[in-house]
Amino acid sequence: MSVMTHPDARIDPSTTAGERDTLEGWLDFHRETLALKCAGLSEEQLRETAVPPSDLSLLGLVQHMTDVERGWFHRVLADEDAPALYCSGEDPDGDFHFTDKDTWADADTAWREAVGRARELAAGRSLDDLGAGEPRSGKQYSLRWIYVHMIEEYARHNGHADLLRERVDGTTGD
């Protein structure tokens, strides 16, 4: 298992920053919150689907957020050839499913790489810049919209992660 973020390493978003710093601060806060929810757990615990009949697990949430980062930043914003790593036509929810070959180390590495690339792709753009477009619909999105959507996506799934973590080992907190 890789070393995860210590709770004290999360940085509270500024209460006085400008719009971009506020958006990036909240997105990074939520990214680190997901890492924190996974910290210190065994491979078995990260795979536990703790809320039957749901297939949701902490490992699955990290895989899902990897595909979400790649989808919004890599494909929609930058028009990169970045296919989903876990989902497919045969299994559209494949990010939440895993096999014995899937490991926490691989999922954590892929997620951190996707986040790092997302930061690079966003860095040289203004909040008003439009991405290349969503491949299925062709609809364009501003970087601002993508940031807000990603904050919402992480916040929603961090709520799931809260419940999963509490069920797995009793740990609570933000």
Side-chain angles (χ1 to χ4, degrees):
M1 180 174 356
S2 67
V3 176
M4 296 302 298
T5 305
H6 184 275
D8 295 337
R10 278 190 316 172
I11 298 171
D12 287 332
S14 171
T15 61
T16 59
E19 182 181 14
R20 185 179 189 117
D21 287 342
T22 297
L23 293 171
E24 289 177 350
W26 276 109
L27 181 53
D28 283 341
F29 180 85
H30 282 293
R31 285 169 170 155
E32 289 301 317
T33 298
L34 181 58
L36 176 63
K37 292 299 171 182
C38 298
L41 295 176
S42 69
E43 184 86 24
E44 182 179 286
Q45 288 172 312
L46 290 161
R47 294 168 165 272
E48 190 173 328
T49 56
V51 188
S54 173
D55 289 336
L56 204 57
S57 68
L58 290 166
L59 175 61
L61 285 174
V62 169
Q63 290 183 160
H64 174 68
M65 292 312 300
T66 301
D67 277 349
V68 171
E69 292 272 0
R70 291 171 55 87
W72 284 105
F73 287 102
H74 304 209
R75 286 193 304 274
V76 174
L77 182 65
D79 197 28
E80 287 187 347
D81 182 21
L85 297 178
Y86 304 103
C87 299
S88 66
E90 299 80 39
D91 188 4
D93 292 325
D95 43 357
F96 293 115
H97 306 142
F98 42 83
T99 69
D100 290 340
K101 294 178 185 176
D102 296 309
T103 67
W104 168 251
D106 289 344
D108 183 51
T109 297
W111 176 61
R112 291 183 185 276
E113 287 173 357
V115 167
R117 183 67 182 140
R119 287 184 179 125
E120 291 171 10
L121 293 169
R125 301 173 192 265
S126 80
L127 293 176
D128 294 323
D129 281 355
L130 297 178
E134 199 279 322
R136 292 174 297 204
S137 71
K139 190 173 183 179
Q140 290 186 298
Y141 296 85
S142 70
L143 177 57
R144 177 183 291 103
W145 190 97
I146 292 170
Y147 275 149
V148 171
H149 175 69
M150 292 298 294
I151 292 165
E152 176 272 331
E153 184 84 8
Y154 272 100
R156 179 166 36 101
H157 289 310
N158 283 338
H160 299 136
D162 284 340
L163 295 171
L164 288 163
R165 181 64 190 249
E166 184 175 5
R167 178 67 175 95
V168 167
D169 74 349
T171 299
T172 60
D174 63 347

